[in-house]
């Protein structure tokens, strides 16, 4: 009987350990980023973990509470004295007794995730749904028995042309004191949406503060929020957090599967993400020096599975054809129904979804990048765990999604990790010497620059952008062939190549007493090949629909897309051949689209109309998807010539198949 299997999220690292092994010890042996200061004595609480229980079909395990040792006296003492979130365990106390999935929450990680979804500068015409209005209200009169609210409504009609304004009970409770304190002169915040205008708050006299709104990009892996002043459009705070649903599954279908196989699983994931959203709202409010209760409006964009789980809808129908959405329309909701912890009268706007696997995040990208107004044919790729792809121009816009999986985020990679200080993010390999140099997050120095060792005390792993550059550089240096096979030291002439089982690995960083050895294995190359092939195949399907073999320009969107080198993306074959200078980054386009919808009411109608015009392509049922996927598994591609890329980039024609060709000779051609 084999030892219990332990799977850590969000890192994806796993291993088997004898029964009785402490969770903290297992984490250390696997290189999992789990903090501990007190040496495992149960004092510091830095090693808190969140066990996840249920059937995890992707991992092939069933994780149950009895697969960890019982809650002990040390944990009880700590919780009673200092408090601990229900369900959490101390990694230094909990012992492994069976297969288990363990989530390491952000606060327990030594190297905190860098959620790189910043707000990009953008000119937006300001027309928010919630505005301030100063009004002079008639005083009560014995001969006119109307109430204070009715006279406020009259003033809004007479002075601002706002008819039929309503007010919640909470507003009524503050109305009379505000009117009298302001000597019948008050400032009201009025929200315009579907239905009658709503008075959200009343201040005595002239209120000279700001109104605040929150734009949220709810991604599979990360959640980004941008707090904006509604009256100026200025982004006053941005923050990002890991999506806590990672512990239920790294990719979308794993979460759908969790819901299918675990009664109450969908509700569990909904509760987790709403709790994270409250944390995010409090964090951005704190950064701006305001209370979360001052946030009067929110806009959400999300992929369909995240969209449903946010709303408390079981996503099970999205896991099987015909991938039916509960609703694809845009939504106006009360923030209190989502328990977001912002202003009790706040309104939430959720952008429309395009199709069963093409969500409101893709709609937000379309709003930000406006492909329907482009004169040339533009391919827009929002790169992430689930890639959204748009292709079109003024004549037609098509959309699809492609299941790239978490490899681009550093998961499923031997030394992979999320983007955090200490992670390798840039790589260069000298094609002559085959020697690498790299940069890590948190430093502008290259590894061969003077002072690098002093500035970067610890190298912790490699993130998504780093592994993409590493493999692309290996291809250009002749260390990996078009099929994705790493050559031996003899074949490549590089002493950085080491045997790795039946294949080989290229060592980026040999490691030392304080830093781990970081190498690119053939398993890593294969994981990236599968992810990039899915991405290319989705784009190629859209090109088939329009009847073209080339696009005029490519836009890489998303937090991850913003950090990808266009040349390296092309060398890998992530995107179709294109002039490299025509490949640009749109940054967090989905977040930008959310901000546009937050700050401009007219844009909501605009995107609702645009979504209705976009033609949807479902990759899961397209017969040519598999054909394109197989061809795209090569680096860069098995059949596409990539003539524009090859015009100024050398891709050595080597082959390292079984039996190998000594010294990396060019492969023999038939006939």
């Amino acid at each position: 009987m084999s030892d219990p299997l332990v799977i850590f999220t969000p890192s994806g690292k796993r291993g088997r350990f004898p029964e009785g092994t402490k969770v903290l010890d297992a984490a250390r042996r696997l290189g999992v980023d789990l903090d501990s200061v007190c040496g495992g004595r149960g004092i510091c609480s830095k090693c808190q973990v969140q066990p996840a229980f249920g059937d995890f079909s992707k991992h092939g395990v069933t994780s149950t509470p009895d697969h960890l040792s019982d809650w002990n006296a040390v944990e009880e003492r700590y919780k009673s004295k200092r408090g601990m979130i229900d369900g959490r365990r101390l990694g230094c106390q909990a012992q492994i007794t069976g297969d288990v999935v363990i989530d390491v929450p952000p606060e327990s990680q030594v190297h905190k995730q860098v959620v790189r979804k910043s707000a990009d500068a953008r000119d937006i015409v300001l027309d928010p749904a919630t505005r301030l209005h100063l009004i002079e209200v008639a005083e009560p009169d014995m001969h006119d028995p109307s109430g204070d609210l009715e006279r406020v409504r009259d003033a809004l009609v007479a002075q601002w042309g706002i008819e039929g304004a309503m007010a919640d009970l909470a507003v009524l409770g503050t109305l009379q004191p505000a009117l009298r304190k302001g000597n019948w002169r008050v400032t009201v915040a009025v929200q315009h949406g579907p239905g009658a205008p709503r008075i959200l708050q009343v201040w005595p006299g002239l209120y000279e503060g700001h109104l605040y709104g929150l734009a949220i990009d709810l991604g599979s892996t990360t959640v980004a929020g941008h707090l904006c002043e509604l009256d100026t459009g200025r982004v006053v705070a941005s923050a990002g957090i890991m999506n806590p649903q990672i512990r239920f599954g790294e990719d979308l279908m794993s979460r759908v599967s969790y819901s299918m196989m675990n009664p109450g699983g969908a509700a569990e994931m909904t509760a987790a993400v709403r709790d994270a959203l409250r944390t995010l709202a409090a964090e951005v409010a704190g950064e701006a020096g305001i209370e979360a209760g001052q946030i009067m409006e929110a806009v959400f964009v999300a992929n369909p599975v995240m969209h449903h789980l946010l709303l408390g809808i079981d996503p099970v129908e999205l896991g099987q054809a015909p991938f039916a959405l509960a609703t694809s329309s845009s939504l106006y909701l009360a923030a209190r129904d989502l328990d977001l912890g912002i202003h009790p009268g706040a309104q939430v706007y959720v952008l429309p979804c395009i199709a069963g696997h093409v969500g409101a995040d893709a709609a937000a990208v379309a709003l930000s990048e406006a492909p329907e107004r482009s004169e040339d044919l533009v391919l827009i790729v929002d790169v992430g765990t689930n890639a959204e792809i748009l292709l079109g121009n003024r004549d037609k816009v098509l959309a699809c999604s492609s299941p790239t999986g978490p490899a681009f985020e550093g998961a499923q990679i031997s030394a992979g990790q999320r983007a955090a200080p200490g992670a390798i993010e840039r790589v260069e390999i000298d094609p002559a010497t085959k020697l690498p140099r790299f940069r890590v997050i948190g430093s502008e120095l290259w590894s061969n620059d003077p002072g690098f060792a002093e500035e970067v005390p610890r190298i912790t792993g490699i993130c998504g952008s780093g592994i993409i550059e590493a493999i692309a550089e290996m291809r250009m240096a002749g260390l990996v062939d078009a099929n994705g096979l790493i050559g031996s030291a003899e074949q490549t002439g590089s002493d950085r190549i080491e045997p790795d089982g039946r294949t080989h690995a290229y060592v980026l960083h040999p490691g030392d007493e304080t830093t781990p050895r970081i190498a690119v294995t053939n398993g890593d190359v294969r994981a990236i090949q599968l992810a990039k092939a899915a991405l290319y195949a989705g784009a190629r399907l859209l090109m088939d629909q329009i009847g073209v073999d080339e696009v005029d320009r490519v836009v890489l969107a998303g937090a991850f897309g913003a950090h990808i080198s266009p040349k390296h993306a092309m060398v890998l074959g992530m995107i179709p051949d294109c002039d490299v200078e025509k490949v640009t980054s749109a940054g967090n386009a989905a977040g930008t689209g959310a901000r546009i919808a937050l700050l401009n009411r007219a844009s909501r109608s605009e995107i609702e109309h645009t979504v209705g015009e976009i033609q949807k392509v479902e990759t899961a049922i397209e017969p040519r998807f598999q054909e394109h996927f197989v061809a795209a598994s090569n680096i860069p591609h098995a059949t596409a010539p990539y003539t524009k890329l090859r015009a100024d980039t050398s891709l050595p024609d080597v082959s390292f198949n079984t039996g190998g060709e000594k010294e990396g000779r060019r492969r023999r051609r038939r006939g």
Side-chain angles (χ1 to χ4, degrees):
M1 186 174 178
S2 59
D3 290 328
L5 176 64
V6 185
I7 300 165
F8 287 94
T9 64
S11 67
K13 294 182 178 180
R14 61 175 61 202
R16 292 191 178 276
F17 297 91
E19 289 191 31
T21 302
K22 291 181 179 180
V23 170
L24 179 60
D25 293 336
R28 285 172 170 169
R29 286 164 62 183
L30 289 173
V32 173
D33 193 12
L34 179 58
D35 203 357
S36 178
V37 174
C38 69
R41 296 194 297 268
I43 299 171
C44 72
S45 84
K46 299 285 188 182
C47 65
Q48 288 187 38
V49 295
Q50 179 77 53
F53 301 124
D55 291 319
F56 295 86
S57 58
K58 176 182 176 181
H59 302 306
V61 302
T62 298
S63 175
T64 60
D66 61 354
H67 288 182
L68 288 177
S69 59
D70 292 339
W71 179 262
N72 68 18
V74 174
E75 292 172 301
E76 180 59 37
R77 183 179 69 245
Y78 181 85
K79 184 173 183 178
S80 64
K81 289 186 176 181
R82 300 181 62 183
M84 191 158 65
I85 295 173
D86 289 342
R88 286 197 177 175
R89 300 291 303 271
L90 295 180
C92 64
Q93 301 299 313
Q95 298 176 14
I96 298 157
T97 59
D99 295 348
V100 66
V101 177
I102 301 288
D103 182 59
V104 181
E107 57 269 30
S108 297
Q109 297 172 22
V110 181
H111 307 94
K112 301 298 187 287
Q113 165 92 15
V114 178
V115 181
R116 304 193 281 190
K117 290 191 175 182
S118 60
D120 302 300
R122 179 64 65 94
D123 290 330
I124 301 171
V125 177
L126 292 179
D127 181 24
T130 306
R131 288 179 173 272
L132 293 173
H133 301 280
L134 179 66
I135 54 175
E136 302 278 353
V137 181
E139 296 185 36
D141 190 318
M142 289 289 292
H143 303 290
D144 181 7
S146 63
D148 286 349
L149 175 61
E150 286 66 33
R151 281 178 282 102
V152 166
R153 295 172 65 184
D154 290 342
L156 284 171
V157 172
Q159 297 165 38
W160 291 99
I162 298 173
E163 297 187 357
M166 307 296 291
D168 292 341
L169 183 60
V171 175
L172 285 176
T174 64
L175 179 60
Q176 290 190 315
L179 283 168
R180 285 150 182 81
K181 185 176 180 181
N183 196 24
W184 307 102
R185 188 169 178 255
V186 292
T187 303
V188 292
V190 180
Q191 189 174 80
H192 301 268
R198 295 172 55 240
I199 300 171
L200 295 188
Q201 195 157 335
V202 182
W203 293 268
L206 175 63
Y207 174 68
E208 298 185 275
H210 296 286
L211 296 180
Y212 296 93
L214 186 59
I216 295 179
D217 176 10
L218 176 54
S220 309
T221 303
T222 56
V223 186
H226 307 296
L227 183 67
C228 304
E229 293 174 348
L230 295 178
D231 49 332
T232 68
R234 187 168 69 97
V235 179
V236 294
S238 293
I241 57 174
M242 295 294 292
N243 187 329
Q245 293 177 348
I246 288 174
R247 67 176 181 266
F248 305 105
E250 290 178 330
D251 56 66
L252 297 176
M253 287 303 101
S254 295
R255 294 179 205 176
V256 173
S257 175
Y258 184 86
S259 177
M260 288 178 173
M261 301 185 67
N262 296 276
E268 195 178 354
M269 288 187 281
T270 294
V273 78
R274 289 184 180 177
D275 183 59
L277 290 170
R278 285 193 298 276
T279 299
L280 180 65
E283 184 175 335
V284 292
E287 185 180 330
I290 67 167
E291 297 293 326
Q294 292 176 252
I295 301 171
M296 295 192 171
E297 199 163 346
V299 168
F300 279 90
V301 302
N303 62 59
V305 174
M306 291 294 93
H307 171 278
H308 278 41
L309 289 172
L310 167 68
L311 300 178
I313 300 170
D314 194 326
V316 63
E317 292 298 330
L318 297 174
Q320 55 199 358
F323 313 109
L325 291 154
T327 178
S328 59
S329 301
S330 60
L331 298 171
Y332 283 92
L333 306 168
R336 58 176 170 267
D337 291 341
L338 301 180
D339 195 19
L340 298 179
I342 59 177
H343 191 284
Q347 175 180 264
V348 171
Y349 176 74
V350 183
L351 271 71
C353 291
I354 296 175
H357 282 157
V358 189
D361 50 356
V365 172
L367 178 58
S368 172
E369 299 306 307
E372 77 282 0
R373 294 201 289 267
S374 177
E375 294 290 343
D376 50 9
L377 187 62
V378 57
L379 176 70
I380 305 169
V381 183
D382 191 345
V383 187
T385 306
N386 193 65
E388 283 79 30
I389 307 168
L390 297 165
L391 176 68
N393 55 21
R394 292 180 62 179
D395 299 326
K396 181 190 296 186
V397 178
L398 288 79
C400 74
S401 70
S402 202
T404 51
F408 286 153
E409 304 276 357
Q412 301 176 347
I413 304 300
S414 59
Q417 66 167 88
R418 309 289 180 184
I424 294 174
E425 64 169 344
R426 298 287 313 280
V427 176
E428 289 181 356
I429 298 175
D430 187 308
T433 66
K434 317 294 186 187
L435 293 175
R437 69 173 192 158
F438 53 82
R439 275 174 40 186
V440 302
I441 296 174
S443 174
E444 294 298 315
L445 297 177
W446 288 91
S447 56
N448 60 347
D449 286 340
F452 176 83
E454 292 74 22
E455 185 169 308
V456 182
R458 181 171 167 80
I459 301 162
T460 57
I462 187 166
C463 67
S465 61
I467 194 67
I468 283 174
E469 292 199 5
I471 295 172
E473 288 282 326
M474 290 169 67
R475 180 73 179 90
M476 290 187 285
L479 299 171
V480 65
D481 65 16
N483 290 316
L485 191 65
I486 300 174
S488 66
E490 182 184 14
Q491 289 171 317
T492 61
S494 171
D495 59 6
R496 285 280 184 150
I497 301 285
E498 297 181 353
D500 183 41
R502 298 177 62 184
T503 57
H504 298 90
Y506 177 74
V507 179
L508 284 174
H509 177 62
D512 51 37
E513 315 81 50
T514 60
T515 61
R517 171 182 177 273
I518 297 170
V520 179
T521 69
N522 245 122
D524 299 337
V525 176
R526 186 60 180 159
I528 292 297
Q529 282 179 284
L530 294 174
K532 73 96 178 179
L535 187 64
Y536 180 97
R540 182 67 235 193
L541 276 180
L542 299 189
M543 293 165 67
D544 289 349
Q545 294 283 332
I546 289 183
V548 298
D549 291 319
E550 293 184 353
V551 298
D552 297 319
R553 58 189 178 95
V554 178
V555 176
L556 298 173
F560 179 60
H563 292 83
I564 298 174
S565 154
K567 179 179 178 180
H568 292 99
M570 199 84 70
V571 169
L572 271 187
M574 291 175 63
I575 53 179
D577 193 24
C578 183
D579 292 326
V580 173
E581 62 269 19
K582 293 291 186 71
V583 182
T584 59
S585 170
N588 182 19
T592 300
R595 284 195 294 127
I596 293 171
L598 176 69
L599 298 169
N600 183 282
R601 280 188 296 163
S603 69
R604 302 178 182 183
S605 300
E606 176 187 329
I607 193 56
E608 289 161 9
H609 172 77
T610 299
V611 163
E613 298 294 314
I614 292 175
Q615 297 181 29
K616 302 88 178 173
V617 176
E618 182 50 69
T619 57
I621 59 174
E622 282 290 333
R624 294 202 68 190
F625 181 83
Q626 190 64 24
E627 173 190 337
H628 288 315
F629 179 85
V630 172
S633 295
N634 273 35
I635 305 173
H637 198 276
T639 57
Y642 275 81
T643 53
K644 293 177 180 177
L645 171 68
R646 292 177 186 271
D648 59 6
T649 301
S650 174
L651 298 177
D653 192 14
V654 295
S655 175
F656 306 124
N657 55 9
T658 304
E661 298 178 38
K662 301 295 184 182
E663 306 305 323
R665 290 198 301 264
R666 296 182 184 277
R667 58 175 171 265
R668 302 178 183 91
R669 300 186 184 275
R670 294 180 180 175

